[in-house]
Amino acid sequence: MEIKITTKQILNVLYILSWLIFVGICIDTGGILSNAIYAFFFNPVIAKNFWSGLDLSSLYEFDKGYFLVQTSLMSIVGIMKAIMFYLIIKLIHDKKLNLLQPFSNEVRKFIFTLTFLTFGIGLFSSWAMNYSEWFKSKGVIMPEIHLQKIDGAGVWLFMSVVLLIIAQIFKRGIEIQEENELTV
């Protein structure tokens, strides 16, 4: 007995996974953002047991401004990840991905947008990682990079280059497709 999985079924599974990831990232980013605001304006004690068990109290005691910048960078990275998955969900939900003619301007714009988002995630992750390392050099006790959800800057930057190449391939595919339509 042969099990045949169609592209449409795979897209449906990816649609559901994208929703789950999107919701998870939104919850995580919202937790970071709300805890940062609450710690900064109302109760600095919360920095000791920050979102997901992070201890940013040493950073808060070192400098409130640096605390705000670091948590802002963590939030920006999370927001950009959430936007990325929102765009994936929107592409699949709005049925703008035509499997009969995949080379469309909608998909090209989508890939270019993902390219810039992944580049931004890599850039802000790198900035936050370097900032965290700088704090450590100043004697501030900082949680590990992966716990701050700012790791993998190099991977995000690499992914942006790969997506840029794919976007250029799609751009050329659209040009060829339009030439063929004019020839007929």
Side-chain angles (χ1 to χ4, degrees):
M1 182 170 151
E2 182 180 334
I3 297 175
K4 189 172 182 179
I5 300 174
T6 65
T7 305
K8 186 172 174 132
Q9 290 170 328
I10 292 173
L11 282 175
N12 286 335
V13 169
L14 292 175
Y15 179 69
I16 293 167
L17 285 175
S18 295
W19 263 110
L20 292 172
I21 294 169
F22 173 71
V23 169
I25 290 172
C26 285
I27 290 169
D28 201 44
T29 303
I32 291 169
L33 198 54
S34 61
N35 277 335
I37 291 168
Y38 189 74
F40 192 77
F41 290 109
F42 301 109
N43 188 3
V45 176
I46 201 170
K48 176 91 174 134
N49 191 16
F50 201 71
W51 183 254
S52 297
L54 290 177
D55 183 0
L56 296 175
S57 60
S58 181
L59 177 61
Y60 189 87
E61 291 168 6
F62 181 70
D63 189 278
K64 292 178 187 178
Y66 288 146
F67 171 82
L68 189 60
V69 170
Q70 185 68 15
T71 55
S72 295
L73 289 172
M74 291 165 55
S75 297
I76 289 169
V77 168
I79 290 167
M80 292 179 88
K81 288 177 184 178
I83 291 170
M84 187 173 68
F85 277 95
Y86 171 76
L87 291 174
I88 292 169
I89 291 166
K90 188 169 173 19
L91 179 80
I92 297 171
H93 178 74
D94 293 347
K95 300 190 185 335
K96 292 186 179 179
L97 182 61
N98 183 356
L99 297 177
L100 298 175
Q101 281 193 318
F103 294 104
S104 67
N105 280 322
E106 294 283 340
V107 175
R108 182 187 62 83
K109 288 177 188 175
F110 168 75
I111 295 172
F112 269 116
T113 304
L114 285 189
T115 300
F116 293 118
L117 279 171
T118 54
F119 181 75
I121 292 169
L123 194 67
F124 282 102
S125 292
S126 177
W127 187 8
M129 285 175 16
N130 291 336
Y131 217 39
S132 187
E133 292 301 318
W134 181 75
F135 293 139
K136 286 181 183 178
S137 73
K138 297 291 182 190
V140 177
I141 300 168
M142 291 293 292
E144 295 296 320
I145 299 296
H146 70 280
L147 295 175
Q148 296 180 57
K149 311 251 188 314
I150 54 173
D151 56 337
V155 174
W156 287 105
L157 292 171
F158 177 75
M159 185 172 154
S160 71
V161 171
V162 170
L163 284 172
L164 183 61
I165 293 167
I166 292 171
Q168 293 301 322
I169 292 169
F170 264 75
K171 183 178 177 185
R172 182 64 184 137
I174 291 168
E175 291 169 358
I176 291 171
Q177 189 171 292
E178 288 173 355
E179 287 173 9
N180 286 341
E181 288 174 0
L182 291 175
T183 304
V184 173

